[in-house]
Amino acid sequence: MATSVGAESPRTGLTRKSRSRNILSRIRHGQITGRGLSRGTQIPEALLQERDKRARWHGIPVLLQRLYESSHPNSDLSQTHGVVKEMSSLLSMEAMSFVTEDRKTAQESTFPNTYTFDLFGGVDLLVEILMRPTLTTQKNSSKMSDDLVKDCLSVLYNCCICTEGVTKSLASRNDFVLFLFTLMTNKKTFLQTATLIEDILGVKKEMIQLEDIPNLPTLVQSFDQQQLANFCRILSVTISEPDVGNDDKHTLLAKNAQQKKNASPSRAEVNQVTLLNIPGFIERLCKLATRKVSEATGTSNFLQELEDWYTWLDNALVLDALMQMATEEAEHSSTESSDESSLATSPLRHRLPQSMKIVHEIMYKVEVLYVLCVLLMGRQRNQVHKMLAEFRLIPGLNNLFDKLIWRKQTSNHVLHGQNQNCDCSPEISFKIQFLRLLQSFSDHHENKYLLLNSQELNELSAISLKANIPEVEALVNTDRSLVCDGKKGLLTRLLAVMKREPADSSFRFWQARAVESFLRGATSYADQVFLLKRGLLEHILFCIIDSGCKSRDVLQSYFDLLGELMKFNIDAFRRFNKYVNTEEKFQIFLNQINSSLVDSNMLVRCIVLSLDRFENQTEDVKVVEVLSECCLLSYMSRVENRLSFLFRLVNIINVQTLTQENVSCLNTSLVVLMLARRKGKLPFYLNALREKEYAEKYPGCLLNNFHNLLRFWQRHYLNKDKDSTCLENSSCISFSYWKETVSVLLSPDRVSLCAIASYIDEAFMDLDRDLLEV
């Protein structure tokens, strides 16, 4: 006989309604029917409330039950929003504590509310609520309000930053990630969406393909400048090659193997092409990068500006920089009356919004410059270069240099790598990205002359005319309408702040890299003299010899710059000798070089190459005079010193440890041997290497290692994808002679006096091992 609903059971005395609250019955029923508990909200409310007191769940499981029940299709979403807001208040304090605890990781700190929220299926439920409009065909379904969407996104973001695993879980759902991009079309939900996407893409194992985003060109074109800057934070993740985080993976051997395995373009490269195909994208980035703070469209009120600002509060350093800037404005305004410092005389509470605006604009520009820098280093470099020149990026940055980019000296800081995920202050990040952009823009490209103004270009022409040498073709072809405006070009402004930089500032590294890139490529006498006339050589020598600089990175950048500045330039060697005018100074200089040949070998290469050229110009009286007087040239002219450098260059590297940083040591050793071969002295140098081995009691070791290095050199540089012009430009030796010399050295003919094999005793011969085993 059927029992009516609510009737008492004869065996247990419980009604069916009350039995449904029994967790064991629910589990047993699920086992029988195959419809078990699928979400935390299905656990009986009475059990949750009882357990809540002991576990300190703060009512979150019960709130999630209410959220689930109020969020069915066609339900009143105002009730849903009320529950979400209640939930948000419980979770937001944990997120804020995470921000203010110096980015303490989830493993170091506990966030019980967000953990409980995720444990009981809250994250999945919010994703379901957000995506529901895309899954239903009902025209009359309730429309989600913008405020509800914003609060859902904020709760998800709070969970991501506080609870380990949530971000990775969301990142694994490609449908949800692509859906988030569609929310960016709504200006009211844009910031919350962008913040969440950035966090998710940062941990996503497989890089997203931008071409998969629905209507990407239309989406990007709909952004205002502020939204576009925020979007650049997202783009930086999608167009940068992932950092493998393992030094072994950075070896040239591993990179070459990886390139063979993955012959097709990477996802990052494909994404770069996708961006470049969006109409007007690069032009808008250039405008954003070069606009003045006074031109930025402000928010309607201070509270709105604060909400916008909150999305940038990744760490306390940002707020520190904001407060510091506000208090330092008075100092700055005493020497400068720009629009960026005009509010310095007002009380702090009035200046703060303007200071915030400056830092905000700086942080926007950091993201934009990073994206432009990555595109400049990509496969479409020439296309990007053409657009950046056309849209006058360099003149625009020149106009911002004194008022915003380098408006004041920044306090000392540690040297950071080239990863965009940097915890340094906004102003430091801005300066570094600016210098990296200049480096990428100038490096081996004829557009480098856009860094000068018309008067400075005329000065270069005059230098060439006086020296009776033809002007560089790139200089002649430079479009004068695209160069810098004003009394000084960007390169000259950079030199001025470089010389004022404090001795222990690591900005010296980036500044030297940026200036060196202007000199790299085919050696230009006029370019060198332009910089020599501005005291650059003396500044470099002061930093190396007299400043007490200990940073290997900074010293390496100065060695490389000095090499480019002095190469084949007899005037530079004369100026060197005038500055290094005592034996004590010269010994300090040599000690700096010898302390790390990996850092200084490019300078050694420059001295060797220059000496070789000068020795063939003995009809020039000035050259003969400098050759006889210059302590540096005299030192390198002694064969025992050249051999000493050669021994160490070959000995500090092997195939397994070759990287982009130290492969120059191999090329410098080859330069020494190529010049010896030209003079018929190659057998003498090879025999000296053999004698060194026996003197050090490790016969065969040095020459076997060098043989293997040269075999790798062939595989690496004879690859059709490798650009050999860099080797030619840096040495003024044709690449065919490089290849020919390597082939002669690797000849198996043990009778040949120019073959390495003939200098290794058969007992110590070890030339047939596979390179991968070396």
Side-chain angles (χ1 to χ4, degrees):
M1 187 174 98
T3 307
S4 62
V5 175
E8 185 174 316
S9 167
R11 293 187 60 184
T12 63
L14 296 174
T15 64
R16 287 194 176 182
K17 186 175 180 181
S18 65
R19 175 176 286 184
S20 67
R21 298 170 182 265
N22 187 300
I23 185 65
L24 294 177
S25 299
R26 295 287 294 276
I27 294 173
R28 190 180 301 114
H29 180 73
Q31 291 173 333
I32 295 171
T33 63
R35 298 177 181 176
L37 299 177
S38 60
R39 61 174 76 237
T41 54
Q42 292 175 300
I43 298 175
E45 184 174 333
L47 176 61
L48 292 176
Q49 289 178 336
E50 176 61 31
R51 181 61 184 162
D52 193 298
K53 299 172 185 176
R54 298 182 184 180
R56 296 181 181 177
W57 287 336
H58 301 101
I60 290 175
V62 175
L63 282 173
L64 282 172
Q65 278 192 333
R66 285 170 49 198
L67 180 61
Y68 177 73
E69 291 165 0
S70 67
S71 62
H72 290 296
N74 301 319
S75 60
D76 181 4
L77 292 181
S78 63
Q79 294 184 18
T80 304
H81 192 193
V83 179
V84 172
K85 284 200 290 187
E86 193 174 345
M87 201 87 66
S88 179
S89 64
L90 286 171
L91 306 184
S92 60
M93 291 306 296
E94 290 179 358
M96 185 56 73
S97 69
F98 179 83
V99 169
T100 56
E101 284 184 12
D102 196 21
R103 299 192 71 82
K104 188 175 289 186
T105 62
Q107 290 85 351
E108 295 172 328
S109 188
T110 306
F111 301 97
N113 286 348
T114 48
Y115 174 79
T116 304
F117 180 81
D118 180 47
L119 180 67
F120 284 89
V123 171
D124 293 331
L125 180 55
L126 284 188
V127 170
E128 183 183 320
I129 291 172
L130 284 170
M131 293 190 69
R132 187 167 291 147
T134 67
L135 305 176
T136 180
T137 58
Q138 298 179 25
K139 295 182 179 180
N140 297 325
S141 58
S142 301
K143 179 175 173 56
M144 292 182 66
S145 69
D146 294 337
D147 288 338
L148 174 56
V149 174
K150 285 171 65 174
D151 286 338
C152 286
L153 292 171
S154 295
V155 170
L156 286 177
Y157 179 67
N158 289 341
C159 290
C160 284
I161 63 175
C162 295
T163 302
E164 186 180 13
V166 172
T167 314
K168 289 182 180 178
S169 174
L170 293 176
S172 66
R173 295 193 54 172
N174 210 49
D175 60 336
F176 179 64
V177 176
L178 292 176
F179 164 76
L180 285 176
F181 281 95
T182 67
L183 296 181
M184 299 182 82
T185 57
N186 188 336
K187 289 186 177 358
K188 292 183 178 179
T189 61
F190 176 89
L191 283 169
Q192 287 74 16
T193 308
T195 307
L196 182 59
I197 291 176
E198 182 190 356
D199 211 56
I200 290 173
L201 294 186
V203 301
K204 192 169 174 60
K205 286 185 177 180
E206 193 173 61
M207 185 179 292
I208 191 172
Q209 288 193 273
L210 292 178
E211 58 188 15
D212 291 340
I213 298 173
N215 304 314
L216 178 64
T218 305
L219 175 67
V220 173
Q221 288 168 352
S222 72
F223 293 154
D224 59 30
Q225 289 295 76
Q226 188 167 297
Q227 291 173 318
L228 184 61
N230 274 290
F231 191 60
C232 283
R233 287 172 68 95
I234 295 170
L235 293 179
S236 65
V237 182
T238 66
I239 62 175
S240 306
E241 296 295 348
D243 185 3
V244 292
N246 186 337
D247 288 341
D248 292 339
K249 301 295 184 183
H250 291 295
T251 65
L252 294 182
L253 200 62
K255 284 185 176 180
N256 288 354
Q258 191 67 27
Q259 286 176 355
K260 287 182 180 178
K261 190 182 297 183
N262 301 326
S264 57
S266 66
R267 286 203 168 190
E269 291 170 334
V270 172
N271 286 340
Q272 291 174 23
V273 174
T274 301
L275 284 182
L276 291 174
N277 288 335
I278 297 176
F281 176 70
I282 296 296
E283 182 178 8
R284 291 188 66 193
L285 289 193
C286 289
K287 287 181 178 178
L288 187 52
T290 58
R291 74 178 181 184
K292 297 177 181 177
V293 175
S294 57
E295 296 171 348
T297 52
T299 46
S300 56
N301 58 66
F302 185 57
L303 290 177
Q304 178 62 38
E305 190 169 347
L306 276 175
E307 180 186 17
D308 190 9
W309 174 258
Y310 173 77
T311 65
W312 295 89
L313 284 177
D314 291 315
N315 57 61
L317 277 173
V318 175
L319 193 56
D320 291 344
L322 171 65
M323 296 303 297
Q324 182 181 359
M325 180 173 290
T327 53
E328 287 177 354
E329 287 291 354
E331 256 179 65
H332 190 59
S333 64
S334 62
T335 58
E336 189 173 328
S337 59
S338 67
D339 57 349
E340 283 79 15
S341 60
S342 59
L343 293 177
T345 55
S346 61
L348 176 61
R349 65 179 180 275
H350 294 151
R351 297 203 312 270
L352 193 57
Q354 176 68 2
S355 299
M356 179 180 291
K357 192 174 182 181
I358 295 171
V359 179
H360 208 172
E361 185 68 16
I362 284 173
M363 295 189 75
Y364 280 160
K365 285 174 166 45
V366 169
E367 306 305 330
V368 173
L369 293 183
Y370 180 81
V371 169
L372 290 176
C373 192
V374 173
L375 294 175
L376 264 178
M377 295 187 291
R379 292 193 179 188
Q380 281 68 42
R381 185 186 186 211
N382 288 332
Q383 179 188 355
V384 176
H385 244 293
K386 184 178 179 181
M387 290 191 282
L388 297 188
E390 179 185 348
F391 301 133
R392 294 179 57 80
L393 174 69
I394 297 302
L397 291 175
N398 186 48
N399 292 334
L400 286 180
F401 190 87
D402 290 331
K403 291 186 176 181
L404 186 65
I405 299 174
W406 229 279
R407 53 195 214 106
K408 61 184 177 66
Q409 291 295 142
T410 311
S411 56
N412 298 334
H413 61 283
V414 295
L415 184 68
H416 290 270
Q418 299 201 7
N419 193 319
Q420 79 274 21
N421 299 319
C422 175
D423 277 343
C424 49
S425 74
E427 291 222 46
I428 290 174
S429 297
F430 185 35
K431 289 178 178 179
I432 290 175
Q433 289 302 338
F434 165 75
L435 293 170
R436 288 187 62 207
L437 180 76
L438 290 194
Q439 178 186 353
S440 303
F441 188 87
S442 303
D443 196 18
H444 290 92
H445 203 281
E446 59 186 18
N447 274 352
K448 68 180 185 178
Y449 291 110
L450 298 183
L451 270 64
L452 308 180
N453 64 19
S454 294
Q455 293 82 2
E456 290 163 348
L457 293 178
N458 292 338
E459 184 181 341
L460 285 179
S461 300
I463 292 170
S464 298
L465 182 64
K466 183 178 180 180
N468 197 27
I469 56 176
E471 288 185 72
V472 177
E473 186 179 353
L475 175 61
V476 176
N477 295 335
T478 298
D479 186 343
R480 299 277 177 131
S481 68
L482 301 177
V483 301
C484 291
D485 308 312
K487 295 181 179 179
K488 294 180 181 179
L490 199 48
L491 179 64
T492 307
R493 292 183 191 278
L494 176 59
L495 287 174
V497 298
M498 182 178 178
K499 291 163 75 172
R500 294 197 304 264
E501 202 66 38
D504 55 350
S505 169
S506 58
F507 278 128
R508 287 185 171 196
F509 168 83
W510 300 103
Q511 291 164 342
R513 282 279 176 257
V515 177
E516 183 215 347
S517 68
F518 180 81
L519 290 171
R520 290 182 70 183
T523 302
S524 167
Y525 173 81
D527 293 354
Q528 291 173 324
V529 173
F530 179 85
L531 296 175
L532 287 171
K533 288 169 65 177
R534 284 157 175 78
L536 180 59
L537 184 137
E538 288 78 11
H539 168 72
I540 296 171
L541 292 175
F542 170 80
C543 294
I544 294 174
I545 298 172
D546 299 317
S547 72
C549 178
K550 302 296 182 185
S551 167
R552 296 314 314 175
D553 292 297
V554 173
L555 285 171
Q556 181 188 17
S557 66
Y558 273 94
F559 284 136
D560 291 347
L561 175 54
L562 187 61
E564 293 295 337
L565 186 62
M566 296 181 67
K567 191 189 303 175
F568 306 132
N569 193 308
I570 197 67
D571 297 321
F573 280 89
R574 172 179 280 173
R575 293 177 81 124
F576 175 95
N577 211 50
K578 186 176 180 180
Y579 187 93
V580 186
N581 53 9
T582 67
E583 181 63 23
E584 181 186 5
K585 279 189 173 183
F586 186 57
Q587 286 306 316
I588 294 173
F589 183 76
L590 286 180
N591 289 340
Q592 292 280 43
I593 288 179
N594 288 319
S595 63
S596 178
L597 265 185
V598 172
D599 299 327
S600 62
N601 82 90
M602 294 296 289
L603 175 59
V604 172
R605 189 191 306 183
C606 146
I607 302 167
V608 170
L609 284 165
S610 300
L611 175 65
D612 181 75
R613 175 174 292 191
F614 296 154
E615 287 177 339
N616 293 319
Q617 296 176 340
T618 50
E619 72 285 351
D620 189 321
V621 176
K622 183 168 71 172
V623 171
V624 173
E625 180 185 336
V626 175
L627 272 174
S628 63
E629 294 177 355
C630 181
C631 56
L632 187 58
L633 291 173
S634 298
Y635 179 84
M636 195 60 75
S637 66
R638 294 194 283 274
V639 67
E640 64 271 19
N641 291 330
R642 292 200 298 277
L643 282 171
S644 174
F645 281 122
L646 180 63
F647 297 151
R648 285 181 290 152
L649 286 169
V650 174
N651 207 31
I652 59 179
I653 51 175
N654 60 57
V655 173
Q656 285 186 326
T657 60
L658 273 183
T659 65
Q660 202 64 49
E661 292 297 315
N662 62 27
V663 70
S664 57
C665 294
L666 174 58
N667 289 323
T668 298
S669 65
L670 260 177
V671 165
V672 173
L673 294 179
M674 282 190 293
L675 298 179
R677 180 175 171 237
R678 277 182 177 175
K679 296 179 178 179
K681 294 182 179 179
L682 185 55
F684 172 80
Y685 278 76
L686 293 176
N687 189 59
L689 287 175
R690 169 188 162 88
E691 290 179 356
K692 178 71 172 177
E693 287 182 333
Y694 276 88
E696 300 290 337
K697 303 193 184 317
Y698 51 90
C701 182
L702 198 65
L703 288 171
N704 274 309
N705 181 51
F706 191 43
H707 193 280
N708 283 321
L709 285 166
L710 294 180
R711 288 171 63 201
F712 173 82
W713 188 96
Q714 283 186 322
R715 292 192 186 186
H716 183 71
Y717 283 103
L718 302 187
N719 186 312
K720 62 180 180 180
D721 293 331
K722 291 290 182 296
D723 185 3
S724 59
T725 56
C726 290
L727 289 180
E728 287 188 323
N729 288 336
S730 69
S731 63
C732 287
I733 299 173
S734 68
F735 190 61
S736 59
Y737 195 76
W738 283 79
K739 292 190 293 184
E740 187 183 308
T741 302
V742 172
S743 296
V744 167
L745 288 166
L746 291 179
S747 170
D749 184 4
R750 292 178 58 80
V751 178
S752 170
L753 294 178
C754 292
I756 292 175
S758 62
Y759 294 88
I760 306 176
D761 291 342
E762 200 157 345
F764 305 114
M765 188 77 70
D766 190 20
L767 305 182
D768 298 323
R769 294 172 61 190
D770 189 273
L771 282 177
L772 295 176
E773 299 175 357
V774 175

